């Protein structure tokens, strides 16, 4: 990591804002993430500022310069604005803390930049550039820690996490995003205080989890959560994967296996123009959670062999419940649970080559998750037996080739019967209702089993079915 500050990457709007506040008699500093990113050689996009001006004084300072302003964060001292194509947030110096029994922070305004920085989450985010002079203010060694790849808090970690328990999740998130090591004293405080995370809203926790999983080192972030006990609050199903292995090693370490699957799945993500652009939250979350049904389904046979029968079905239900608790949107929940539910389907293909009907059903059941399912299934191979791994890879290559061949022969993705609802009603002389749905389902089963029949043959089959009802 570089220790050189590339001021040429600072957008011109930053200096313009600094001059406006200086002319109005106020201090203004670029602070936090944008300053950190400048040291990392990144273009600062999210522009956060801090000032001694009150919200009213901030509005007065930018009047006639900002193209638009909004005051949704006024209670927290924050005024948002747009200038050209840039968005800015300017916040009055402040200190904030959580009441031990409340989910909402208590906000108090401060009167100095140094006091504002000490209440920041980590030293790498407790740096500021005074404007318009561009003087670096780094009282807690953020540049040093960034260069060393270490995450520390400006003050006592216990005090920092007591102020806002979500910062413990942020520590795991920054470890993932920036590939940092968390300082021992910070890890110790996180372990001691992990249960304090329970007072933070599910929505805030979810957003940190998403950023962690989409980081460049998601395994490190998850391991920190599990090792400190944060995962017991957020994703208890993950530490529960640490099943004891018997002396004969009849089953692998499911926890370590799941972390490896997540890493391997991330490696199979594509560029922005591919079918699964990186980072892909749905794929990574499904990979991490694909085996969460195993603890509940583990059974020991007379010979000591271990089975996890139907763990994919049980796991899908567990995943759905957990994601709902974390307030994920319905589409994301549906996508992840479908992948968990289907991740074992391929192994039936490996036992015996599927019929065309079975291949069609595989595609139909996967639906829009097919490309992700390809990657999850391939990633689920973590065996150290190279011959076995190569055999499974070849078998899945064959399945993908079969899917491609069938897709060339017919519109596999659309997977519709040869007759639509209107045609069914006209042929059978029935009105809209459940019977139309039953007839449609029958024709769809024929389509999956035999491929396209053509309208004439489909009508014959439909009439024969109807007469048998």
């Amino acid at each position: 990591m570089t220790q050189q500050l590339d001021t040429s990457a600072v957008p011109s709007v930053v200096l313009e804002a600094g001059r406006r506040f200086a002319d109005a008699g106020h201090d203004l500093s670029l602070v936090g993430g944008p300053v950190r990113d400048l040291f990392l050689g990144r273009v600062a996009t999210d522009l956060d500022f801090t000032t001694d001006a009150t919200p009213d004084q901030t509005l007065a300072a930018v009047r006639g310069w900002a193209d638009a302003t909004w005051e949704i964060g006024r209670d927290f001292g924050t005024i948002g604005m747009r200038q050209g194509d840039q968005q800015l947030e300017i916040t009055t110096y402040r200190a904030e803390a959580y009441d031990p029994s409340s989910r909402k922070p208590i906000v108090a305004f401060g009167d100095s930049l140094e006091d504002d920085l000490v209440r920041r989450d980590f030293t790498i985010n407790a740096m500021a550039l005074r404007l318009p002079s561009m003087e670096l203010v780094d009282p807690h060694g953020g540049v040093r820690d960034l260069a060393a790849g270490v995450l520390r808090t400006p003050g006592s970690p216990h005090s920092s996490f007591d102020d806002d328990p979500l910062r413990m999740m942020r520590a795991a998130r920054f470890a993932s995003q920036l590939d940092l090591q968390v300082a021992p004293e910070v890890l110790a405080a996180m372990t001691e205080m992990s249960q304090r995370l329970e007072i933070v809203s599910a929505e805030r926790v979810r957003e940190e989890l998403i950023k962690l999983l989409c980081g460049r080192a998601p395994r490190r972030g998850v391991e920190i959560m599990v090792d400190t006990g944060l995962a017991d609050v957020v994703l208890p199903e993950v530490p529960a994967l640490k099943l004891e292995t018997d002396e004969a090693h009849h089953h692998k370490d499911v926890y370590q296996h799941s972390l490896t699957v997540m890493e391997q799945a991330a490696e199979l993500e594509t560029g922005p123009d591919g079918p699964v652009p990186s980072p892909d939250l749905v794929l990574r979350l499904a990979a991490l959670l694909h085996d969460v049904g195993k603890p509940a389904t583990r059974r020991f046979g007379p010979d000591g062999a271990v089975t996890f029968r139907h763990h994919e079905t049980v796991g899908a239900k567990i995943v759905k419940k957990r994601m709902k608790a974390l307030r994920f949107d319905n589409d994301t929940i549906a996508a992840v649970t479908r992948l968990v539910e289907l991740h074992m389907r391929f192994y039936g293909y490996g036992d015996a080559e599927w019929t065309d009907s079975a291949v069609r059903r595989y595609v139909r059941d996967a639906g829009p998750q097919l490309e992700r399912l390809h990657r999850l299934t391939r990633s689920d191979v973590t065996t150290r037996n190279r011959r076995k791994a190569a055999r499974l890879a070849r078998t899945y290559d064959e399945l993908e080739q079969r899917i491609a061949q069938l897709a060339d022969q017919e519109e596999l993705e659309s997977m519709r019967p040869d007759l639509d609802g209107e045609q069914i009603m006209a042929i059978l002389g029935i009105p809209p209702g459940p019977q139309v749905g039953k007839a449609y389902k029958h024709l769809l089963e024929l389509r999956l089993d035999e491929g396209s029949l053509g309208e004439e043959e489909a009508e014959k089959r439909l009439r024969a079915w109807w007469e048998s009802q």
Side-chain angles (χ1 to χ4, degrees), residues 98-104 165 195-201:
Y98 271 77
D99 182 289
S101 61
S102 172
R103 291 177 180 266
K104 296 182 179 180
Q195 294 303 307
R196 285 274 287 138
L197 191 61
E198 291 178 348
I199 73 166
V200 181
S201 70

Side-chain angles (χ1 to χ4, degrees), residues 36-330:
R36 178 199 69 222
D37 287 347
L38 287 171
F39 279 101
L40 293 174
R42 301 176 178 179
V43 176
T45 52
D46 296 327
L47 300 177
D48 294 325
F49 301 80
T50 188
T51 179
D52 61 350
T54 65
D56 284 337
Q57 290 169 331
T58 291
L59 287 168
V62 301
R63 188 170 296 122
W65 176 73
D67 297 324
T69 60
W70 48 93
E71 303 180 40
I72 192 170
R74 172 186 274 274
D75 290 345
F76 297 92
T78 300
I79 299 296
M81 64 197 69
R82 178 175 54 79
Q83 211 288 326
D85 59 357
Q86 295 277 2
Q87 289 195 4
L88 300 74
E89 285 194 350
I90 301 178
T91 303
T92 305
Y93 295 150
R94 71 188 192 199
E96 65 182 23
Y98 271 77
D99 182 289
S101 61
S102 172
R103 291 177 180 266
K104 296 182 179 180
I106 302 167
V107 177
F109 295 139
D111 54 16
S112 77
L113 175 59
E114 288 72 16
D115 288 346
D116 183 88
L117 292 178
V118 75
R119 67 121 189 135
R120 302 264 164 180
D121 53 5
F122 303 105
T123 59
I124 62 171
N125 297 328
M127 300 182 286
L129 287 178
R130 291 189 186 274
L131 301 172
S133 68
M134 299 293 287
E135 173 197 352
L136 176 66
V137 182
D138 181 20
H140 306 288
V143 173
R144 175 201 64 214
D145 289 344
L146 197 58
V150 177
L151 198 66
R152 303 182 191 276
T153 54
S156 157
H158 288 82
S159 176
S160 179
F161 299 151
D162 206 41
D163 283 348
D164 184 354
L166 188 66
R167 289 175 174 175
M168 294 184 285
M169 276 283 290
R170 284 198 198 120
R173 184 249 288 187
F174 281 121
S176 169
Q177 281 187 326
L178 303 178
D179 205 6
L180 301 174
Q181 297 290 337
V182 182
E185 69 275 12
V186 177
L187 284 173
M190 291 167 66
T191 303
E192 292 173 28
M193 302 177 66
S194 59
Q195 294 303 307
R196 285 274 287 138
L197 191 61
E198 291 178 348
I199 73 166
V200 181
S201 70
E203 290 82 1
R204 296 184 74 211
V205 169
R206 177 199 65 218
E207 291 308 303
E208 289 298 327
L209 179 63
I210 290 172
K211 293 173 183 176
L212 182 157
L213 292 174
C214 291
R216 68 188 191 200
R219 181 177 189 138
R220 177 174 295 176
V222 173
E223 288 177 331
I224 289 171
M225 286 183 59
V226 171
D227 293 346
T228 59
L230 291 175
D232 292 330
V233 179
V234 180
L235 280 178
E237 296 79 10
V238 174
L241 293 172
K242 289 187 172 185
L243 300 174
E244 293 182 5
T245 54
D246 54 283
E247 292 182 0
H249 298 287
H250 282 295
H251 67 84
K252 66 186 77 176
D253 183 328
V254 183
Y255 170 64
Q256 291 297 329
H257 164 74
S258 297
L259 293 177
T260 301
V261 173
M262 179 178 65
E263 282 186 311
Q264 294 183 164
E267 291 171 0
L268 294 179
E269 293 168 347
T270 65
D273 297 327
V276 186
S278 179
D280 189 84
L281 172 68
V282 169
L283 177 59
R284 295 183 183 200
L285 194 52
L288 176 63
L289 301 179
H290 74 285
D291 275 347
V292 294
K294 280 191 170 180
T297 58
R298 182 169 62 160
R299 299 291 183 272
F300 293 92
D303 59 350
V306 182
T307 62
F308 302 98
R309 192 161 296 163
H310 304 307
H311 74 272
E312 67 276 18
T313 304
V314 173
K317 293 177 180 177
I318 292 172
V319 168
K320 184 176 183 179
K321 183 177 180 181
R322 175 57 52 195
M323 291 184 69
K324 281 188 173 181
L326 288 170
R327 305 288 195 273
F328 276 92
D329 64 276
N330 290 336

